[in-house]
Amino acid sequence: MASLNLLIAAAALVVVAASTAATAAAASWAPPSSPRPLFREYIGAEGQNVTFADVPVHPGVDFHFILSFAIDYAAADAANASAAPPVPTDGRFAVFWDEAHLTPAAVSALKCPSCSPNTRVALSLGGDTVFGYNATFSASSVDAWVDNAVSSLTAILTRYGIDGVDIDYEHFGERETPEVFAECVGRLVRALKSAGVISVASIAPFANPDVQAHYGELWRRYGRDFDYVNFQFYAYPSNTTVPEFLGYYYEQSGRYAGAGGGGKVLVSFGTDPASNGLRPGKGFFRACRELRRQGRLHGIFVWAADNSVADGFRYERLAQRFLAGAAPGFP
C-alpha cells in the first residue's frame, strides 16, 4: 500500500508539472503585434462537404475564408444543368458554393467574437467554370450590370453576414473589353464599400495576357478601392524555382501594388492536383522567408480547402505557423 501511495504521489507531481509547463507556455505565447499576418483560403467550390470548423485557424493570424463562388449565370435547363451551356444573367448573382455546409448560420457561428475573433469571410465572384462551361464575364451594358450586381450581391452579402468580395473572373466575352470590365467591377466594389456593405475587396488575376489586360485596366481606374491582390502564382509552371518565383513576385508587385492602388500582393500555392507553381516542400517557404526578410511578405493564400481536407490541411498548418509561429493548441 505504501508503494502504491508513492506511485500516486509521483503521478500527481508529473501531472502538476505538465500542467505548469503548459500554463507557462500559454502565458509566454502572444499573438504577433498588430496587424496580424494575413492568411486567406478559398472554400466551397469542389463539393467536398468541407465546413469552416474543419479548417485549422491559427490564433495569431487574420484568417479570411473566401466562399467560392457567386456567379451571374443560370442553368439553361434546370432539370439537367450540364445539358446545355448556362445563360449569363447580367449581374444577377446566385450562390454556387456548397450551401448545404457553408450556410448563413455557419458564417454567424464562425464570426462569433468569443469564438474566432480573428476570422472574416468574403465571397469570390466568377471563377473558372460554371456547370462545366467557362464562367465568362458578360454584361449587356455597364449601367445594367452594375445595378443588377449591386442589388443581388447586397442581398447575398447581407443574408450571410459576409465582409468582402474577391474578383476572380477568368474569361471575357468579345464585347467585354478591359474598359467595360473595369467600369463594371470597379463601380460595383466602390458602391458596396460606400454603402458599408463590405469592408474588404480583392482581385485574383494570373499571368495570362487577356486576364492581365482586364485586371490591369481595373487596377488603373479603381486600384485604390481594393485591399489585396490574390495573385495566382500556382498558375506558373510546375518547375518554377525559388529565384523564378521571386522574380514573378517582383513583377506582379510592380504591376499592381506599384500602380497607385492600395492593394498588397499576396503569395499563394494550390493544393488542387491541377495546381502548379512553386509548391510547399519545393521551396515555397524559402521564397516566403526571403520576402519576409525584405519586408515584402504581405500574406499567403491557398486554393483550396476542398482539396486540402484529404491530408488534414497539412500545408495550411505549416503556412500559418510560418506566418505567426507556434501557438498552444494549434497542431
Side-chain angles (χ1 to χ4, degrees):
M1 181 64 71
S3 60
L4 179 60
N5 289 338
L6 286 173
L7 286 172
I8 293 172
L13 286 173
V14 169
V15 170
V16 170
S19 176
T20 301
T23 302
S28 64
W29 183 87
S33 58
S34 184
R36 287 177 291 214
L38 177 63
F39 184 85
R40 314 186 89 198
E41 180 147 38
Y42 291 85
I43 185 171
E46 305 290 343
Q48 297 299 311
N49 302 333
V50 182
T51 69
F52 294 125
D54 292 330
V55 183
V57 175
H58 192 296
V61 304
D62 282 331
F63 196 114
H64 294 185
F65 286 98
I66 306 176
L67 294 165
S68 310
F69 293 93
I71 312 176
D72 54 334
Y73 270 81
D77 181 352
N80 187 358
S82 61
V87 180
T89 55
D90 205 20
R92 297 178 182 88
F93 283 88
V95 169
F96 279 81
W97 62 76
D98 182 358
E99 286 189 278
H101 297 88
L102 304 171
T103 63
V107 174
S108 178
L110 173 73
K111 294 172 62 181
C112 162
S114 62
C115 307
S116 304
N118 59 324
T119 57
R120 301 173 83 181
V121 179
L123 64 78
S124 189
L125 306 182
D128 183 20
T129 62
V130 54
F131 299 130
Y133 297 86
N134 286 349
T136 301
F137 178 76
S138 179
S140 63
S141 71
V142 171
D143 289 341
W145 191 93
V146 171
D147 287 347
N148 292 335
V150 169
S151 176
S152 62
L153 284 172
T154 296
I156 295 171
L157 291 160
T158 303
R159 177 176 170 235
Y160 276 82
I162 292 172
D163 305 288
V165 297
D166 172 68
I167 311 301
D168 190 24
Y169 281 103
E170 303 185 2
H171 308 280
F172 308 92
E174 291 184 4
R175 295 183 306 147
E176 285 70 28
T177 64
E179 293 75 17
V180 168
F181 176 71
E183 283 304 311
C184 285
V185 172
R187 286 169 54 180
L188 166 66
V189 168
R190 182 168 292 178
L192 293 175
K193 277 196 167 184
S194 296
V197 178
I198 63 170
S199 57
V200 62
S202 59
I203 60 173
F206 57 96
N208 168 280
D210 194 35
V211 169
Q212 294 281 55
H214 283 77
Y215 282 92
E217 185 63 22
L218 171 62
W219 197 259
R220 188 181 72 81
R221 297 184 184 210
Y222 291 95
R224 296 185 187 279
D225 294 289
F226 291 87
D227 305 280
Y228 306 110
V229 178
N230 288 3
F231 198 85
Q232 298 182 44
F233 288 99
Y234 44 84
Y236 282 109
S238 59
N239 61 350
T240 296
T241 65
V242 170
E244 286 172 336
F245 182 91
L246 292 171
Y248 296 147
Y249 176 84
Y250 301 145
E251 176 188 356
Q252 303 307 334
S253 184
R255 181 189 303 271
Y256 291 102
K264 297 178 179 179
V265 176
L266 309 184
V267 296
S268 60
F269 62 86
T271 57
D272 184 320
S275 294
N276 292 309
L278 184 63
R279 290 177 172 270
K282 295 290 184 67
F284 177 81
F285 291 112
R286 280 194 287 129
C288 289
R289 193 171 293 112
E290 175 59 21
L291 291 175
R292 183 161 63 184
R293 185 189 68 79
Q294 299 175 16
R296 302 182 71 171
L297 182 64
H298 302 298
I300 296 172
F301 81 89
V302 179
W303 172 267
D306 303 61
N307 309 113
S308 302
V309 67
D311 72 351
F313 302 96
R314 173 188 177 191
Y315 292 121
E316 283 84 348
R317 297 178 195 277
L318 285 173
Q320 291 179 76
R321 281 199 298 268
F322 173 84
L323 288 171
F330 187 82

